[in-house]
Amino acid sequence: MINKRLLIKNLLAHNDECSFYDKKRQLNLHTKEGKAKFLKHICALSNSNPSNNSYIVVGVEDLDNEITGDDFFDDSRIQNLVNAYLENPPKIQYENVPFPNLPKDRVVGLVTIKPKHKTSFFKKNIHTIFAGSVFVRVGSNSVPTEDKISYSKQNIETVISIENSSRNSIAYTLDGVMNFMIERHGDMVSQYKVFKELFVICWAGNPKKIRDSTYLSRVDIELINEQVKLFYSALDVVSISYDEESFTIIEYVPLGLNDKTSYYPLEQQKISFFDNGYYKIENKMLFEPPAFNKKMLHHIYNSNVALITKLQRGIALSEREEKDLENLSSTLMICYLNGFEDAKQKLIDAKPLLKANKKAAVYMSFKEAMRVLRKMKYN
């Protein structure tokens, strides 16, 4: 079993970006350009490594390898994005890896691209990349090619060596459990559960009674053996259940036009463990968008557009408008889910303005809304 934190350290220590490894400060999958860049690197790394895993590390400075981290990214449907644009798409896995020096809400992303022997190429246009384009890695660059693809067999030995040097141990597991429960979450209710005498899951959160149900808020869940964060949210709430074979997380998203006290099931994530040392993660989308009165939504939509216009023009907001700004992202999302097609793009265009706001909750609400919309798109 590979300790993903150790794997990232070994990749960073190996050398600079190369034909089996790339690093990024962050991913931007909100725009066509950002998606195109990501898909280009996936295509190139896959074609250049048909017999070994290749990797992209997200949350690292390019010049000095400083680990700065990125937001927790829980889009299990990123594979669907790859499938939508690439012919012969590789299987990929995105994992969130916590590091001790990073805040709780920051992780390093690890994209693992599985080996396959058929050439990947774009089957439809995206941004400046045309259908039929083929990419390969030349050193640290992903470049287009029309030639027969060659690859270095040296990569196979090198990657296997790096992965073998990243194997987990009992010491890493015990240290991980103690770090999670005492150092990082000593102020919260935290628990652990061992599955199949091998896998250890730790979770922490604050119990929250909502009507007749008890949920956990500010939830952090990790698979300690691999140093992988399975779930993190500062806003949403979850319910947790488990037996001897599996661990199930159901995430709920708060939605409403005023106080947002209604909780809707968003997604179920089930981790099943097997006697042979393997595990499987299955995700099931549960979300059914709430329906609201269209006449009322027209008024709310226009008010939100007017609020964005004031931000663009630098006009000072009233106290009420400042409060409305905190709910702008979730209300525009509700508008979009109820047939206001322009609402999503209005929200995306407002990202720089919301990010620059002095209240952290304003931008956090934006990220949560985009996360829900992204999940629905690739469902």
Side-chain angles (χ1 to χ4, degrees):
M1 192 176 298
I2 294 179
N3 182 308
K4 301 301 171 61
R5 183 190 298 167
L6 193 55
L7 175 61
I8 290 171
K9 288 182 177 180
N10 287 334
L11 285 169
L12 295 177
H14 174 67
N15 56 22
D16 206 352
E17 297 165 304
C18 58
S19 56
F20 63 81
Y21 148 63
D22 196 9
K23 59 187 176 184
K24 298 294 173 193
R25 175 63 189 83
Q26 61 183 15
L27 292 183
N28 179 11
L29 300 182
H30 296 320
T31 65
K32 289 287 186 183
E33 181 181 5
K35 290 175 183 175
K37 287 181 178 179
F38 174 72
L39 291 166
K40 178 180 71 174
H41 295 311
I42 294 291
C43 181
L45 287 163
S46 176
N47 288 335
S48 299
N49 296 278
S51 300
N52 58 268
N53 289 333
S54 46
Y55 297 97
I56 300 175
V57 178
V58 183
V60 177
E61 293 291 350
D62 193 39
L63 295 178
D64 57 5
N65 273 1
E66 180 187 358
I67 297 174
T68 54
D70 198 6
D71 293 329
F72 180 86
F73 187 80
D74 66 344
D75 193 349
S76 58
R77 291 162 186 78
I78 197 170
Q79 178 74 58
N80 293 14
L81 171 64
V82 175
N83 294 349
Y85 284 94
L86 295 185
E87 192 68 39
N88 301 323
K91 289 185 178 180
I92 67 168
Q93 184 176 19
Y94 191 104
E95 295 170 298
N96 298 275
V97 184
F99 273 70
N101 63 306
L102 296 176
K104 290 180 184 179
D105 61 337
R106 307 286 285 181
V107 293
V108 175
L110 179 66
V111 183
T112 302
I113 303 153
K114 304 293 184 179
K116 57 147 198 59
H117 289 276
K118 288 187 177 182
T119 299
S120 294
F121 61 91
F122 281 79
K123 61 184 178 183
K124 59 183 180 180
N125 302 342
I126 180 170
H127 192 52
T128 59
I129 300 175
F130 295 105
S133 298
V134 180
F135 289 85
V136 295
R137 293 287 286 188
V138 177
S140 61
N141 297 312
S142 298
V143 298
T145 183
E146 296 180 356
D147 301 327
K148 182 179 178 180
I149 297 174
S150 59
Y151 66 95
S152 173
K153 293 185 179 180
Q154 178 64 38
N155 281 1
I156 301 173
E157 296 179 8
T158 304
V159 171
I160 289 175
S161 175
I162 290 174
E163 290 174 344
N164 285 339
S165 299
S166 307
R167 296 290 172 184
N168 196 44
S169 67
I170 293 177
Y172 286 132
T173 300
L174 290 175
D175 287 345
V177 172
M178 298 301 289
N179 176 265
F180 183 96
M181 300 188 71
I182 297 176
E183 294 184 34
R184 287 163 45 209
H185 298 295
D187 60 334
M188 303 172 72
V189 177
S190 56
Q191 301 179 63
Y192 75 91
K193 170 71 177 172
V194 180
F195 296 88
K196 301 297 182 181
E197 300 181 332
L198 179 62
F199 302 96
V200 182
I201 288 185
C202 286
W203 68 96
N206 292 328
K208 186 174 185 177
K209 188 80 171 178
I210 302 172
R211 298 186 176 94
D212 296 326
S213 302
T214 300
Y215 304 92
L216 292 177
S217 63
R218 291 180 58 210
V219 181
D220 194 1
I221 306 172
E222 286 186 20
L223 176 59
I224 298 296
N225 309 69
E226 295 193 351
Q227 291 293 339
V228 170
K229 193 183 288 284
L230 297 172
F231 184 88
Y232 178 84
S233 177
L235 293 182
D236 293 352
V237 299
V238 306
S239 63
I240 290 173
S241 61
Y242 54 87
D243 54 29
E244 295 304 312
E245 310 286 335
S246 63
F247 186 90
T248 302
I249 308 160
I250 298 180
E251 177 187 0
Y252 297 80
V253 57
L255 281 179
L257 296 176
N258 296 311
D259 55 2
K260 295 200 299 182
T261 55
S262 296
Y263 285 79
Y264 296 85
L266 176 61
E267 185 175 34
Q268 174 182 287
Q269 184 178 98
K270 183 177 181 180
I271 305 100
S272 300
F273 301 96
F274 304 99
D275 292 323
N276 61 2
Y278 287 89
Y279 68 92
K280 177 175 67 174
I281 298 179
E282 296 174 294
N283 294 79
K284 181 181 179 181
M285 197 69 172
L286 305 175
F287 189 57
E288 293 291 339
F292 293 91
N293 179 276
K294 286 291 180 72
K295 186 175 181 180
M296 178 178 63
L297 285 180
H298 269 291
H299 173 72
I300 291 172
Y301 176 74
N302 290 333
S303 296
N304 278 288
V305 171
L307 194 55
I308 292 173
T309 301
K310 280 192 171 184
L311 290 176
Q312 292 170 335
R313 296 176 178 175
I315 300 173
L317 304 182
S318 66
E319 186 176 336
R320 174 60 188 270
E321 288 172 331
E322 289 284 359
K323 184 64 178 176
D324 289 342
L325 188 61
E326 293 184 29
N327 297 323
L328 180 140
S329 297
S330 61
T331 51
L332 279 181
M333 177 175 67
I334 289 173
C335 290
Y336 175 75
L337 296 175
N338 280 266
F340 291 72
E341 295 295 330
D342 293 340
K344 181 179 177 181
Q345 192 58 49
K346 292 285 186 185
L347 181 58
I348 292 172
D349 293 342
K351 177 184 176 180
L353 300 169
L354 302 178
K355 190 174 183 179
N357 192 272
K358 60 184 179 181
K359 291 185 178 180
V362 171
Y363 185 55
M364 188 179 296
S365 178
F366 167 84
K367 292 192 292 186
E368 290 293 310
M370 293 307 302
R371 182 172 65 87
V372 173
L373 291 173
R374 186 172 61 245
K375 283 189 174 187
M376 292 191 65
K377 178 178 180 180
Y378 293 117
N379 183 40

